[in-house]
Amino acid sequence: MLKTLTITLSMFTLTALQAMAANSASNFGGIGIDGVPWANGQIVVRQMVAGGPAHLAGLKTGDIITHIDGKPTEGSNFQDMVDHRLRGIAGTKVMLKVRRPGIAKAITFNLTRRQLVTAKTKGK
């Protein structure tokens, strides 16, 4: 029992540390999309960071993300998908399966997360 608890606690601590590292300013990476959830859990691309991994790979506004790393987005928690499946440590890979309106066959994109710099607008 104690051995199981120790292993579980160690795994939890490692997972927590990985999440913290992924979201730290120096290691945080993303694919450069702004997505909105559909009621079924799938993500629709609303806009992209110009020059970001998704933009450079050919994703388009209106694309529907149906799978992230082989796991379906349908029925999943949107915030969990963003925080733990789309975002991650810069330099790590993520695979998206996308349904594009007007195209029958799904499209697969293999992206590498990276730090993204967006232009800040000045407040008035």
Side-chain angles (χ1 to χ4, degrees):
M1 171 76 176
L2 184 56
K3 185 176 182 179
T4 304
L5 180 60
T6 303
I7 292 170
T8 304
L9 184 57
S10 296
M11 288 174 29
F12 173 77
T13 304
L14 180 58
T15 302
L17 287 173
Q18 289 170 328
M20 285 173 31
N23 289 317
S24 72
S26 62
N27 291 325
F28 173 76
I31 60 170
I33 65 164
D34 177 22
V36 292
W38 272 3
N40 68 0
Q42 293 180 332
I43 301 171
V44 179
V45 177
R46 179 172 43 187
Q47 57 185 335
M48 290 178 283
V49 174
H55 178 245
L56 294 175
L59 265 82
K60 297 182 184 273
T61 302
D63 282 350
I64 302 158
I65 300 172
T66 61
H67 292 77
I68 303 170
D69 287 332
K71 296 178 185 174
T73 56
E74 188 170 351
S76 298
N77 177 281
F78 175 73
Q79 197 59 52
D80 183 61
M81 284 188 289
V82 170
D83 291 344
H84 299 106
R85 292 165 66 189
L86 291 175
R87 293 178 183 162
I89 298 172
T92 59
K93 301 209 179 279
V94 62
M95 182 182 68
L96 304 181
K97 187 179 280 189
V98 170
R99 194 174 72 233
R100 184 168 288 163
I103 298 179
K105 190 175 178 181
I107 306 167
T108 300
F109 293 93
N110 291 297
L111 308 171
T112 301
R113 296 176 184 98
R114 68 178 175 91
Q115 289 181 328
L116 301 168
V117 178
T118 57
K120 294 184 180 184
T121 58
K122 295 183 180 182
K124 293 183 180 181

